[in-house]
Amino acid sequence: MRRILYRYSRPFKKGVREGFLLYLQDKERESWGEIAPLPGFSRESIEEALEDFLSGTCRLPSVQFGYYSALLDLSDPVQLTAIPIKMKTKVGHLSPHEAVKMIQPVSSMRIDVNRKWNLQEALAFAKCFPDVEYFEEPLLPGENAKDFPYPVALDESLREKTIPPYPHVVAHVIKPTMHGFPLPKIQKGIDFILSSSYETEVGIHQIAKLTQRLNIPLKPMGLGTCHLFEEPLFEEEPYVEQDRLHFPKKWKLKKDKVQVIVDEYV
């Protein structure tokens, strides 16, 4: 089996998003994976992830996701050309007053607060949006979650030892790059929403394929982030049409956009 590890770096949100693309080839089959810890959120750095991959340990979450998803696609390919997606509105960088002024209410909204507000701020804001699907991580750590009666999705809390006791948890937002394999178990009565950590087109495609591998009820997923990058790494590009994200059948890398780190047969 041939494996090539490419390093990429491209503009993202006035900064740079870096990571590795893993290409595997075995006879006529080929597959892709992505190893791209997200600075400030992942527990490992990009250099720690590279060391973990090269050592063959694969103990870090981003390495587990990238390596094992590529291996799975090589041995048991999944054909997935489209998946329903849903955008969420991020407001944690705003004050509640600013957020209320910014948002135009629609039914079944997903609003992500990123654990930025205290209980009083979150309650005042939530009252303005009675038709929301859920508020994702609405409270600062240490706030009294029991007193927030609105529908909640958990994200960061799922990767910590203590989960805040919200009374109405309706969804778990799972980011494979940050969780690694195996993913958390699906719980009855709680939606299992796969979400991106600003991966490339290939990484998002692999996350989407997990819906089939895990037989997840096909709720709209949080994978509509490709538009945030101005410079595609592949000749083919995903596109959104009628709230569905469409993927190409094959991927052809723009090799002038990446650096080869490893090219070997194993």
Side-chain angles (χ1 to χ4, degrees):
M1 178 177 69
R2 185 185 185 188
R3 69 177 188 181
I4 307 175
L5 188 71
Y6 300 95
R7 185 165 187 161
Y8 71 83
S9 175
R10 60 178 176 169
F12 172 69
K13 286 189 172 183
K14 299 181 180 179
V16 174
R17 183 74 170 104
E18 296 182 285
F20 302 97
L21 298 170
L22 176 61
Y23 171 80
L24 300 181
Q25 183 181 40
D26 188 12
K27 298 179 181 178
E28 299 301 317
R29 288 186 173 180
E30 60 181 24
S31 66
W32 288 93
E34 180 170 1
I35 300 169
L38 185 62
F41 292 90
S42 293
R43 78 183 197 194
E44 70 270 23
S45 68
I46 188 170
E47 297 303 334
E48 288 170 336
L50 176 60
E51 182 181 352
D52 187 46
F53 173 78
L54 294 178
S55 70
T57 307
C58 295
R59 60 179 179 83
L60 297 176
S62 62
V63 181
Q64 291 174 348
F65 168 62
Y67 183 53
Y68 292 122
S69 59
L71 281 179
L72 275 171
D73 229 16
L74 198 64
S75 61
D76 183 23
V78 167
Q79 299 299 321
L80 180 68
T81 57
I83 189 171
I85 62 170
K86 193 167 190 176
M87 304 299 290
K88 64 185 177 184
T89 303
K90 286 182 169 287
V91 298
H93 62 293
L94 303 172
S95 71
H97 178 70
E98 291 171 330
V100 169
K101 290 177 64 177
M102 181 194 77
I103 296 175
Q104 296 295 323
V106 296
S107 61
S108 299
M109 293 181 68
R110 296 174 177 177
I111 299 178
D112 188 0
V113 185
N114 282 121
R115 305 200 294 184
K116 297 295 186 181
W117 294 344
N118 64 38
L119 178 61
Q120 288 71 32
E121 290 173 325
L123 287 173
F125 176 82
K127 290 177 182 177
C128 300
F129 300 95
D131 296 325
V132 73
E133 182 176 345
Y134 57 67
F135 298 96
E136 186 175 325
E137 296 282 5
L139 298 180
L140 286 160
E143 291 289 302
N144 191 356
K146 290 181 180 179
D147 289 342
F148 189 83
Y150 300 95
V152 165
L154 299 179
D155 178 358
E156 295 95 335
S157 298
L158 297 173
R159 300 188 293 276
E160 297 177 350
K161 292 182 179 179
T162 303
I163 296 178
Y166 290 102
H168 193 22
V169 176
V170 299
H172 285 170
V173 178
I174 307 298
K175 295 184 167 87
T177 285
M178 297 188 196
H179 281 278
F181 286 167
L183 294 176
K185 292 182 179 179
I186 298 173
Q187 296 187 21
K188 186 177 181 180
I190 297 179
D191 288 343
F192 194 90
I193 307 295
L194 291 172
S195 184
S196 77
S197 302
Y198 303 113
E199 294 89 356
T200 68
E201 304 90 318
V202 155
I204 289 174
H205 198 189
Q206 285 292 9
I207 296 173
K209 289 179 181 183
L210 287 173
T211 59
Q212 289 192 17
R213 295 193 187 280
L214 300 174
N215 294 315
I216 299 171
L218 205 51
K219 298 277 185 175
M221 300 291 158
L223 302 178
T225 56
C226 292
H227 69 284
L228 298 174
F229 296 97
E230 297 179 4
E231 299 180 4
L233 296 180
F234 294 85
E235 299 290 346
E236 307 81 2
E237 293 187 52
Y239 65 93
V240 176
E241 186 176 86
Q242 297 182 341
D243 295 326
R244 292 179 67 84
L245 180 62
H246 296 259
F247 298 100
K249 292 183 178 179
K250 293 190 70 174
W251 297 98
K252 184 177 180 181
L253 183 65
K254 294 182 176 181
K255 294 185 179 179
D256 61 325
K257 300 288 186 181
V258 296
Q259 174 190 2
V260 176
I261 303 298
V262 173
D263 187 350
E264 62 186 2
Y265 288 87
V266 295

